[in-house]
């Protein structure tokens, strides 16, 4: 199993310093989420030859590896120009991942078109059905490339994606039917995914490649009044990425189920909430992950 750090709270550091910081914090693997100087949100990668080589040298010098790379492009946009741009950016990102020796790429099913082109007050432009149809067209183009490059794509349903329910997302991954396409389980999204965390993890086991660890509160609790949003009925998706123990995830059930199912993929610390204590949070998360893994050893 690879335990990785998502260094988003350290994103002000250069890429070589990210490699150094990751090692200093006790991790040996990096989960590189979007950043402006490498794979930025929605646009062509900014990772030129100099940056790639510099990052590779720094990882080698500090004894860390790139476990995952996360592009975020509009591959589910019903607007064909946006979707085709996303495919072009994905192809470049796959080249970069291969160059870095990173064999797992992670992403989200997506929210469809850019909000400027499909505003929420104009119905019918960004329906789940149209987004899904666009996603399938993108899979037709990209899956053969992932298979050729022997790179795993692990996708996650995200709050506000065209698919939020984990079991529905898993059905889509199963239907893609490629050994290179897997699913991610994001612990802080648990209460959007469904009611039974253990059952979801068990069902996903043959397809589960990647898990993100952070805590969150159950927004469905207290008769749906855990969060009060004004005006009532506003369309929002509130969730947190907190340190273990600061929310309501049952971590014993989580890690015991991973152990029961023999999970041996990538497990990443993905806390966003504490930039003012990013080092302490990252060290604490590694210690807690290791403690729970020792408490619930893989069968």
């Amino acid at each position: 199993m690879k335990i990785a750090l998502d260094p988003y709270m350290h994103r002000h550091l250069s890429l070589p310093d990210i490699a150094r910081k990751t090692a200093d914090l006790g991790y040996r693997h990096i989960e590189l989420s979007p950043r402006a100087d490498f794979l930025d949100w929605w646009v062509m990668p900014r990772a030129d030859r100099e940056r790639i080589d510099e990052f590779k040298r720094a990882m080698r010098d500090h004894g860390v590896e790139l476990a995952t790379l996360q592009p975020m492009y509009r591959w589910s946009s019903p607007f064909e120009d946006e979707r085709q741009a996303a495919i072009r950016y994905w192809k470049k990102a796959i080249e970069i991942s291969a160059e870095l020796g990173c064999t797992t790429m992670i992403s989200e099913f997506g929210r469809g078109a850019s909000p400027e082109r499909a505003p929420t007050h104009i119905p019918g432009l960004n329906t789940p059905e149209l987004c899904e149809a666009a996603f399938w067209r993108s899979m037709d183009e990209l899956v053969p490339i992932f298979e050729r490059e022997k790179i795993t794509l692990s996708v996650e349903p995200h709050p506000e994606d065209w698919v939020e329910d984990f079991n529905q997302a898993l059905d889509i991954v199963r239907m893609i039917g490629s050994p290179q396409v897997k699913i991610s389980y994001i612990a802080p999204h648990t209460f959007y995914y469904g009611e039974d965390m253990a059952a979801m993890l068990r069902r996903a086991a043959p397809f589960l490649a990647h898990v993100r660890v952070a805590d969150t509160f159950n927004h469905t609790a207290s008769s749906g009044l855990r969060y009060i949003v004004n005006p009532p009925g506003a369309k929002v998706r509130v969730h947190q990425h907190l340190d273990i123990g600061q929310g309501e995830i049952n971590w014993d059930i989580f890690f015991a189920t991973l152990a029961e199912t023999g999970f041996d993929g990538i497990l990443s610390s993905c806390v966003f909430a504490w930039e003012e204590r990013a080092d302490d949070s990252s060290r604490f998360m590694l210690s807690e992950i290791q403690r729970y893994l020792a408490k619930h050893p893989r069968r």
Side-chain angles (χ1 to χ4, degrees):
M1 183 183 301
K2 297 178 180 179
I3 302 175
L5 174 68
D6 181 340
Y8 190 75
M9 292 193 293
H10 300 91
R11 64 191 178 279
H12 62 283
L13 297 176
S14 68
L15 286 163
D17 282 342
I18 286 291
R20 175 191 54 78
K21 174 66 72 174
T22 300
D24 288 348
L25 292 172
Y27 294 81
R28 290 295 171 262
H29 294 90
I30 301 171
E31 176 158 289
L32 196 63
S33 49
R35 48 183 289 145
D37 62 349
F38 210 72
L39 298 189
D40 204 357
W41 298 80
W42 320 129
V43 296
M44 178 65 80
R46 298 331 194 209
D48 61 18
R49 169 54 54 190
E50 181 179 353
R51 286 177 180 164
I52 292 172
D53 290 344
E54 186 179 49
F55 191 30
K56 286 173 70 174
R57 283 195 302 271
M59 287 192 289
R60 183 175 61 249
D61 291 346
H62 294 287
V64 297
E65 297 178 356
L66 190 60
T68 63
L69 194 60
Q70 183 182 4
M72 287 294 297
Y73 306 129
R74 302 192 193 280
W75 59 359
S76 294
S77 174
F79 294 100
E80 186 61 10
D81 60 334
E82 284 190 343
R83 194 192 71 80
Q84 285 294 337
I87 295 300
R88 183 183 179 193
Y89 306 157
W90 259 109
K91 290 177 179 178
K92 183 61 177 178
I94 293 170
E95 290 179 13
I96 294 167
S97 190
E99 174 69 20
L100 289 167
C102 180
T103 58
T104 300
M105 302 182 77
I106 58 177
S107 195
E108 301 168 7
F109 281 89
R111 267 126 275 179
S114 60
E116 293 79 11
R117 294 184 69 176
T120 56
H121 64 277
I122 302 178
L125 290 180
N126 210 27
T127 65
E129 293 84 359
L130 289 174
C131 293
E132 179 172 345
F135 176 79
W136 282 110
R137 290 195 296 274
S138 296
M139 291 298 99
D140 288 343
E141 295 185 59
L142 290 175
V143 169
I145 302 175
F146 284 111
E147 292 177 342
R148 184 186 70 224
E149 298 295 334
K150 299 295 189 293
I151 291 175
T152 295
L153 168 67
S154 190
V155 287
E156 59 157 294
H158 191 282
E160 206 184 5
D161 278 4
W162 55 268
V163 54
E164 294 184 356
D165 181 276
F166 187 79
N167 286 318
Q168 293 177 21
L170 179 58
D171 284 344
I172 292 168
V173 169
R174 292 166 64 100
M175 284 301 298
I176 291 171
S178 170
Q180 299 305 131
V181 181
K182 304 292 185 179
I183 197 164
S184 297
Y185 189 96
I186 314 302
H189 303 166
T190 288
F191 301 111
Y192 287 99
Y193 282 168
E195 295 182 359
D196 191 332
M197 177 173 63
M200 289 186 286
L201 288 170
R202 290 189 188 105
R203 183 168 180 256
F207 305 91
L208 189 62
H210 167 246
V211 172
R212 275 179 165 164
V213 177
D215 218 333
T216 190
F217 286 104
N218 183 356
H219 68 282
T220 69
S222 297
S223 303
L225 297 175
R226 180 73 84 220
Y227 309 114
I228 298 173
V229 178
N230 292 316
K235 185 181 178 182
V236 296
R237 294 293 185 271
V238 180
H239 68 281
Q240 300 87 19
H241 284 239
L242 307 170
D243 286 352
I244 287 175
Q246 293 180 330
E248 295 175 293
I249 298 287
N250 188 319
W251 293 106
D252 279 308
I253 290 177
F254 178 83
F255 281 97
T257 307
L258 290 181
E260 170 195 326
T261 58
F263 177 74
D264 193 30
I266 299 162
L267 193 154
S268 65
S269 170
C270 189
V271 174
F272 301 147
W274 307 114
E275 290 186 0
E276 69 276 14
R277 47 178 290 274
D279 284 7
D280 289 342
S281 172
S282 300
R283 290 191 181 97
F284 172 81
M285 288 295 291
L286 178 59
S287 175
E288 283 294 275
I289 289 169
Q290 291 172 332
R291 182 174 71 85
Y292 274 104
L293 289 174
K295 184 178 180 181
H296 302 286
R298 189 161 54 97
R299 298 177 186 177

